[in-house]
Each structure stands twice: as structure tokens, then as C-alpha cells.
Amino acid sequence: MEQAQPTDAGAISVAGDDAVLPFAVEGLDVRGRAIQMGPALSALLARHDYPLPVSKLLGEAVVLAVLLGSSLKFQGQFLLQTQTDGPVDMLVVDFRTPGDIRAYARFDKERVAAMQEEGTLKPELLLGNGILAMTIDQGAHTSRYQGIVKLDGASLEDVAHAYFAQSEQIPTIVRLAVAEMMTREDGGPAHSWRAGGMLVQFLPQSGAKHRDLPAGDVPGGHLAEAENDAWAEATSLVQTVQDHELIDPEVPVERLLYRLFHERGVRVFEPSAVRDQCSCSRDRIEGVLRGFSAEEITDSIEDGEISVTCEFCSAKYSFEPQEFLG
Ligand SMILES: [Zn+2]
């Protein structure tokens, strides 16, 4: 995809919502991807109807998974999963190339409500302590890759930084923002979600030969001085972005990138669309049930039928028990 003709970010049409936009800033030796999410995220979160803070947290995880998963060069799957001891004890985001996402959260209603009442509710506190695992699966011909990073009350942004410092050794900065939007429509006030995110990585062409030099105070890297300066400039620019700018429908991603990096020559590549699309199907679930023993089938019968609800998209599938007891 990145072989596509690059364009000057100041002068092009916009990728629009729900499309990942790869970019490069050659003057700073950085590459990255940015996105604004609207309808796809809104539809995904609306279907679950979680408490607001849980939706917001899952929204952040979705944006992070999209930014990371969209780097897959071949057909494959990127799975982001948390396992923690907080009120939200599990988040799962499943990204499949070229851009299908599905996600769900598992949480304790009462603990979330209690935190909301106490007013101590921050997305990162919902998770608590545990781990975040990222798994890349690119099919039968490649080995499965899994990276694990500790979660201990830090935000998902910080966790992403720790992950890249630890397992990829690529200086990386990630920004994530999610907000609930209230708009007035004909039928009264309407509710929706918007999110924005940006992942920026330092990938100097000459990087390899500098790796032995003493480390600077830049997280995650061993950078020569000139490189230190370039990466310090890139990170400080990215840190100037306010959360509301990341999600602002009036500030498309291209414009934001141009505003940040135009002095260093930012170029953007072909965007790729992200869809709210589950991969469950009647056939697939039927296949799972066919593997059940007669006893397991009998145990699954309720009100004369076997009913299975997809955790990811809440779709309901009903089966006649007789189909599996023949
Ligand atoms: Zn589903």
C-alpha cells in the first residue's frame, strides 16, 4: 500500500472517518499512521451499550489495535487482549486485514458503577493490574507472534510506549483520544462516538550503524545526537496535539499532520478503510456445536433450543438440538 504515489499532505483530498492514513516525515526520519474514527466505532460501541467509561476505554483499545494492526503487510489478524484485576477484567479487539474490526469488554457492573459514584473513574483505573497481549497471526506459512506487556494503572498510550521500548526497540509515540458526541438531530438529541489516534515511529535510514552509541534520554532507543534531536522534535510536536484536535471532525487527519510537520515535509500515502465487521457466522458456530458431545449438547438446551450469542457483535444464533443429537 505504501508503494502508492505519496502526496503532499497540505494539498490533497481527505481520507475521511474510519480510514487509516500512513504518513512519513523524511526531515525527521519518522513514519506513522493516523486515523479519525466515527461511524464504525459508534456502531461497534452502540451495539454493546456498555456504561460510558467502559465504552470509552474499549474505544481507546480499538484505536490502538487499528493503528498497530494496519501495519500488517500480508493477510492476517492482529489481536489485542487485556487480562487484569480491575472492574474491566478483559478487553478484546480483533483486527483482520484489510480493516475489519470487532471488540468486546468484560466487566463487573457493580464495581464500575461504584467507581462512577465515587468519581474516581479514569479509563486506566478500570483495568487495574495485569497484562496486555498483542498477537499477530499471518496464517499457516508464518509463525504466530505474541508480545506481552505489563499493565499497572498506566494509560493505554503509556502501555503502548512501554511495549515498543521493550519488544521492538523502535522509539514510538502513540496518541489516543475518544469522546462521546451529542448532536441535535430531527428526532431530538443524538449520541455518537468519535475517536482519533496517531502512531509515530522513529526509523532512521542510517539507524543501524548508530545502535552502539550511548543511549540518550529518549525512551526506547540508543540514538546518536543528531537523531536524538530529530526524534525529540517529532515527539514534542506530537505531544502538542490536544485530545480534542485528534477527534475534531473539522480537522481532518491530513490537516493535522500538515499543521504538525509541514516544515519537515510530510507526505501521506493511500488510506485504508476500517469497517465494523464481525467474522462470526451461523456455519462457524454450527461447526463448534458439532464438536460437542451429546451430553454437552443436552446441557446447552434452554427452552427447547440452543441459543448462542456472539460476544463480539451480540448476534444471536438459535439451533434445534435435534440437529446435533442424531
Ligand atoms: Zn459476531
Side-chain angles (χ1 to χ4, degrees):
M1 177 199 317
E2 294 191 356
Q3 295 88 325
Q5 270 310 100
T7 346
D8 179 23
I12 60 153
S13 61
V14 296
D17 286 344
D18 302 324
V20 183
L21 189 69
F23 65 91
V25 188
E26 263 142 47
L28 294 174
D29 278 333
V30 303
R31 298 178 76 82
R33 292 182 293 285
I35 189 169
Q36 271 194 10
M37 296 193 71
L41 182 70
S42 244
L44 187 157
L45 293 176
R47 200 176 307 110
H48 288 303
D49 199 20
Y50 296 145
L52 290 181
V54 178
S55 291
K56 187 166 190 239
L57 177 66
L58 186 61
E60 285 183 10
V62 167
V63 178
L64 179 59
V66 166
L67 289 172
L68 295 171
S70 56
S71 73
L72 293 181
K73 296 271 183 290
F74 311 102
Q75 197 183 352
Q77 178 192 21
F78 178 91
L79 195 71
L80 181 153
Q81 184 166 2
T82 64
Q83 254 173 6
T84 51
D85 63 3
V88 177
D89 67 357
M90 186 157 83
L91 296 175
V92 185
V93 187
D94 178 8
F95 176 97
R96 280 159 202 264
T97 54
D100 288 356
I101 42 162
R102 56 181 194 158
Y104 73 92
R106 196 173 70 190
F107 60 98
D108 183 325
K109 258 187 200 162
E110 279 159 27
R111 286 178 74 191
V112 172
M115 277 180 97
Q116 249 170 325
E117 264 167 42
E118 289 164 20
T120 53
L121 223 160
K122 277 194 193 161
E124 54 266 34
L125 296 179
L126 283 172
L127 289 172
N129 298 316
I131 56 155
L132 179 141
M134 305 198 231
T135 311
I136 294 171
D137 194 335
Q138 296 200 303
H141 304 293
T142 52
S143 53
R144 205 158 164 266
Y145 166 83
Q146 188 171 60
I148 292 179
V149 62
K150 212 166 85 177
L151 279 173
D152 53 7
S155 67
L156 286 179
E157 275 181 4
D158 292 336
V159 170
H161 301 159
Y163 168 77
F164 279 102
Q166 170 193 310
S167 54
E168 306 241 336
Q169 308 265 302
I170 300 170
T172 301
I173 182 165
V174 174
R175 294 294 312 275
L176 305 169
V178 178
E180 191 197 359
M181 312 288 280
M182 297 300 290
T183 46
R184 290 216 157 268
E185 315 234 323
D186 293 346
H191 169 271
S192 65
W193 289 93
R194 281 192 75 76
M198 192 181 285
L199 173 141
V200 183
Q201 298 194 301
F202 187 57
L203 295 164
Q205 299 300 317
S206 56
K209 66 177 185 251
H210 294 302
R211 288 292 145 120
D212 297 336
L213 293 171
D217 54 358
V218 180
H222 300 268
L223 309 177
E225 209 167 294
E227 294 186 335
N228 252 340
D229 290 347
W231 179 238
E233 182 178 336
T235 49
S236 66
L237 286 169
V238 173
Q239 272 155 352
T240 62
V241 181
Q242 304 287 310
D243 282 359
H244 68 83
E245 293 177 287
L246 284 169
I247 58 170
D248 190 344
E250 305 296 315
V251 185
V253 169
E254 291 84 351
R255 188 166 305 157
L256 184 59
L257 291 172
Y258 183 75
R259 191 192 285 170
L260 287 176
F261 297 120
H262 70 278
E263 286 176 11
R264 297 298 192 171
V266 57
R267 295 184 306 151
V268 298
F269 302 85
E270 188 152 320
S272 64
V274 170
R275 301 191 302 165
D276 160 44
Q277 178 69 54
C278 194
S279 55
C280 70
S281 70
R282 191 175 175 83
D283 281 356
R284 199 170 289 194
I285 290 167
E286 193 178 315
V288 173
L289 292 173
R290 293 230 173 271
F292 277 26
S293 67
E295 196 187 344
E296 286 170 320
I297 289 293
T298 309
D299 287 347
S300 308
I301 300 172
E302 268 181 54
D303 299 328
E305 60 170 25
I306 296 174
S307 166
V308 179
T309 304
C310 175
E311 282 170 309
F312 282 101
C313 72
S314 308
K316 273 194 169 42
Y317 298 92
S318 302
F319 300 89
E320 291 282 334
Q322 287 322 114
E323 283 184 58
F324 309 98
L325 294 169

